[in-house]
Amino acid sequence: MAEIKSNAASVEFRNVTKVYGKSKVPAVNDISLFIEAGNLVTLLGPSGCGKTTTLRMIAGLELATSGQILIGGADVTRLPATDRDVSMVFQSYALFPHMTVRENVEYGLKFSGFSKKDTADKAKAGLELVGLGGFGDRLPSQLSGGQQQRVAVARALVLEPQVLLFDEPLSNLDAKLRRHVREEIREIQQNLGLTVVYVTHDQEEALAVSDRIIVMNNAVIAQDGTPRDLYDAPSSAFVADFIGEANIFDCRITDVAKDVATVELGPLSLKLPARDQRPGPARLAVRPGRIELGSAGAPRTLPGTLHKVTYVGSHLEFVVDTEFGAVFAISTTVDAQFEAGQKVGVGFCEHGPVLLTG
Amino acid sequence: MRAKASTAPLHPTVVLWTAVGLIGFVLLPWYGLRDNFFTLSWLFDGYPFDDNVAPALFLVLQGQKLWLAPLGILLLAPLLLWRRKKADPYFGHLLIAVGAAGFAYLMLQGFGIGLRGFQWSWLTALFGELDDRQFGMGWGALLVSGAFLFLCTLGLAGRGAVGGDEFVVGSIGFIVAVVGIFIFMPIVQMLGSALVTQDGNYSLGVFFAKLFSSRLWGLGCVSGGPRCGVAWNSLFLAVLVGLLTTALGLVFALVVTRTGFRYGSLLRALTILPIITPPFVIGLAIILLFGLSGVITQGFSDLFGLQPTRWVYGLPGLLIAQVLAFTPIAFLVMIGVVEGVSPSMEEAAQTLRASRWQTFVTVSLPLMRPGLANAFLLGFIESMADFGNPLVLGGNFDVLSTEIFFAIVGAQYDQAQAAILAIVLLFFTLAAFYAQRFWLGQKSYTTVSGKGDSGIHPHLPATFRNAIYAIAGLWTLFTLLIYVTIFYGSFVKQWGVDFSLTFDHYVESFAVGWNQFGIHWRGAAWSSFWTTMEIALISAPLTAAIGLLTAYLLVRQNFRGKDAFEFGAMLSFAIPGTVIGVSYVIAFNVPPIELTGTGIILVLSFIFRNMPVGVRAGIASMSQIDRSLDESSLTLGANSWQTFRKVVLPLLRPAILAALIYSFVRAMTAISAIIFLVSAQYNMSTSYIVGRVENNEYGIAIAYSAVLIGVMLAVIGLMQLAVGRRNIGRRHMETDLSQSRTNVGVAGAG
Ligand SMILES: Nc1ncnc2c1ncn2[C@@H]1O[C@H](COP(=O)(O)OP(=O)(O)OP(=O)(O)O)[C@@H](O)[C@H]1O
Ligand SMILES: [Mg+2]
């Protein structure tokens, strides 16, 4: 029985820029990044920020305008897709409609110098890996969306590529299936130790599957880090807001000592990790879940008026008017007695507020 | 259900069609008139009592044509629906019964009673000899049959057919009726007349003798004899033309879409030229170049001292001319398909380690299969139906279409022979149609998922690209040469003999003078030119309307029997113009529909020849318009007619214009069907030109052709202005738009 192995390799971008045709603005602007072998890294960002372009440059479907691209340490900048050891799962799956599922999976193997027997064995192993062992003789048009997606994954996997690319692989699936398939992809990736670059604009999906997330905005990298880094310590208001939701406050750093900043926010004085900030005006972000509502006038709170309370089943959502603008908070204790119009005190949990660096 | 405010005691649509029927029965002349109906001269010819112009009611009241009386009674029957709702079962049943009975009876009496009394012996047996007769139906009969048809469809809608939608059911009924009457019925009559011998008897023996004659099927050329049967000639030529035009069409489509070729629009423009050229004009140019006194032949013989030969007459010349003439059609089909192959398919193949060439062979080409099949079929049918080129270039290489023509117009006037030849022709094209379906089989060629990736088509490998550049370049040069020849030839005194320049040909055909009545169109060509313009301008909008309506039903509506409907519509694409021409001559020469010699028969033949163009254009653009658009309009309370008019039609404007222009152009350039249908009064440009060619008046023929080409260029230019330029950057195009095009061709056949 043939097995699907991994030839995982690292991917490196050195000051890569891509300008399409005659367009003046670059689609990807002077990006440098390093993806370690065996990691699943997500490219996350709003529509049009350059994720697909980045991915296609890894695949060799677009050539970089300037800069260097390395796969497994070798310079592939000028190499076309055919000659790169990279496979891609397309958003539309791009299954060949005139070939059966098996022929689709065998397609790449045929051009990789495998014997007939190896080709058949590997294709079989690949289909079994994605749980479609018995579907080899069907045409893609006879499969459900989720099954098609898995065929596309199998087709890319069996080539044992150095890097496997996914461009929004789940966007054509319904919400439930999406959750299931993304876990499957993650499982296969971890079992085989593949290097995967994964594009999505769904932040929850990114947080769930990634070893690392690269957030892009306007053709540049906004932040690069582990899911926890990005969530707990976003560097900019953009990242804080794009990943989860955040309340952004203008504040003032009065003093920095040994990486601990003293921050003034209205009547409050907070001690926070300084993150290389200097005294002066600054901004901080607080996740809605890390805000506690207390009775009005309680110590270490900001005074505010409860503007709206919404019951959404698993938790309560609040909008509180304060002198710093509207604050959005959530509480998982749904039984708490709060009513719109009530005066409340807005308090922060330990490790709640984070100074923004960007 | 929305409550309707109307409380009219009789359903308004019933009122409308009953009224139309009664007008037809009571007011309008029942039989066809000798003069144009719209001159209203019939009002002064003894209307309403004279037999020739009397309405049916007056005929019956005067005790004549009593068999028409039941029609009037049936027309009054809908009044029984007074105060009945559409939902009432009685409403539907009554209308279906009245409509169907009336329509059937009308047809029956029409076919049953002709110029010599009863047409069928069982009628004579039943009622005895009838010493009355009737002529072709006229406006009165037309209105009455329309009324019965739509009363019947209204009844069907009332019984809940297609969701009870009157407009849709009526449209389906209408299309089925006209396609039945003007495509299938003539062909059936043609089949029937194939069995009739010269002296009017039916004979299977004679039929088979003719059908399997060696003139048709002889294999002389294989066994060393002088020539092969006409059928083999046609088949061989058509297969070659089909293959070559498909290959060339593919080459051009690839040049434009897969090589980064920058002058694609130039190439597109160039390929328009042959489309607006009457096909035989290319044959003519080939004679001027390669004929016995052609410049190239003469040049060669001077250079190398060779004896000029007539090599170009026959298969070689026909092949060149038809390939030149029909490649653009293949190109138009192929370009849609080649662009329609989703780029992510090709990109996927590349990331799967296939080289460019392997990608092309294993992915792109198989996905273009529907286009290849379509292009081949069109080339095949066009070649089979082509009449002009074989006439001017055929030499001893006889083909079916010319053979049919000579059977009809020749000394022997053998209708049965023509019908038999037409049957063979039809057999070939239908066989090709089936072969195409078989070859495409059940496989799917369209991308399967919804939301797509954008991407760009990869370029072809360099050597392959250079090869197709070379082919396309040669073709381009050759086409240019042809058109220079046509243009230059129209100014030459006598080609091959006297090359001095002159305006004589233009003057002779298009001179304009003044006399006491104003402008005097003195040139010999004016009469046929204006007739052609008139007929083309009348038939173009009708063609577009029927085509688009059919497309709407095919793309947007679901009804029982839709598959059969679609199949019938597709099948009519495979009927060559020559066959339509012959069957019209046979079917519409005698009552109940007597049209030979009129302009109407020309208009009808154009409508039903060119309908496929409208259907295809409509299907192509309608499948690009999101269905949810008209669904949302429907849920907003509009009925399907309002939806069609307010939502679908405006979005279809480009398709409408394309269909209009294309059918206009086809009407101006067609020859295969109308050569059988023209008359002294209604002569068409193309048949006039062919007549000049037959008289060896090449100068006039070419000058006239050049003028036609100029006129059509102007029309196409106007169209481009009207539609405006559309920017189709790949990135901005919805992927399912391009997918939908994968199965749709552009041009019609004939
Ligand atoms: N072929 C192209 N020609 C010109 N501009 C392009 C092309 N492809 C992408 N662009 C532009 O480059 C920018 C980045 O596009 P890209 O497809 O990488 O975005 P994305 O992050 O994948 O967005 P989405 O989430 O919507 O898929 C966009 O502004 C886009 O308009
Ligand atoms: Mg994208």
Side-chain angles (χ1 to χ4, degrees), chain B residues 491-573:
Chain B
F491 293 103
V492 164
K493 248 210 182 82
Q494 200 184 351
W495 193 270
V497 181
D498 180 357
F499 277 100
S500 52
L501 296 180
T502 172
F503 278 112
D504 283 358
H505 306 311
Y506 286 98
V507 171
E508 195 175 325
S509 11
F510 290 103
V512 176
W514 292 94
N515 61 11
Q516 69 268 36
F517 304 115
I519 292 192
H520 174 50
W521 306 101
R522 244 185 322 150
W526 281 119
S527 135
S528 62
F529 178 79
W530 290 125
T531 309
T532 307
M533 289 297 272
E534 183 187 338
I535 302 271
L537 285 173
I538 293 175
S539 57
L542 296 174
T543 312
I546 292 193
L548 292 180
L549 186 62
T550 311
Y552 173 74
L553 296 176
L554 284 177
V555 177
R556 286 306 159 93
Q557 299 292 339
N558 281 314
F559 46 90
R560 228 183 315 152
K562 181 175 165 185
D563 286 344
F565 183 80
E566 184 168 7
F567 186 72
M570 300 301 286
L571 199 62
S572 67
F573 298 3

Side-chain angles (χ1 to χ4, degrees), chain B residues 221-242:
Chain B
C221 55
V222 184
S223 55
R227 61 175 70 167
C228 268
V230 181
W232 294 125
N233 285 351
S234 274
L235 182 63
F236 186 59
L237 177 66
V239 169
L240 279 183
V241 169

Side-chain angles (χ1 to χ4, degrees), chain A residues 94-107:
Chain A
L95 297 181
F96 305 130
H98 58 299
M99 300 182 193
T100 62
V101 166
R102 179 173 304 111
E103 287 167 335
N104 263 287
V105 177
E106 286 175 351
Y107 186 84

Side-chain angles (χ1 to χ4, degrees), chain A residues 51-52 91 167-168 199:
Chain A
K51 308 179 295 286
T52 299
Q91 186 173 1
D167 190 0
E168 306 198 22
V199 165

Side-chain angles (χ1 to χ4, degrees), chain A residues 46-53 55-56 91 167-168 199-201, chain B residues 451 453-454 731:
Chain A
S47 187
C49 68
K51 308 179 295 286
T52 299
T53 305
L55 202 68
R56 288 168 60 86
Q91 186 173 1
D167 190 0
E168 306 198 22
V199 165
T200 178
H201 52 228
Chain B
K451 193 179 168 189
D453 309 279
S454 44
R731 261 276 170 162

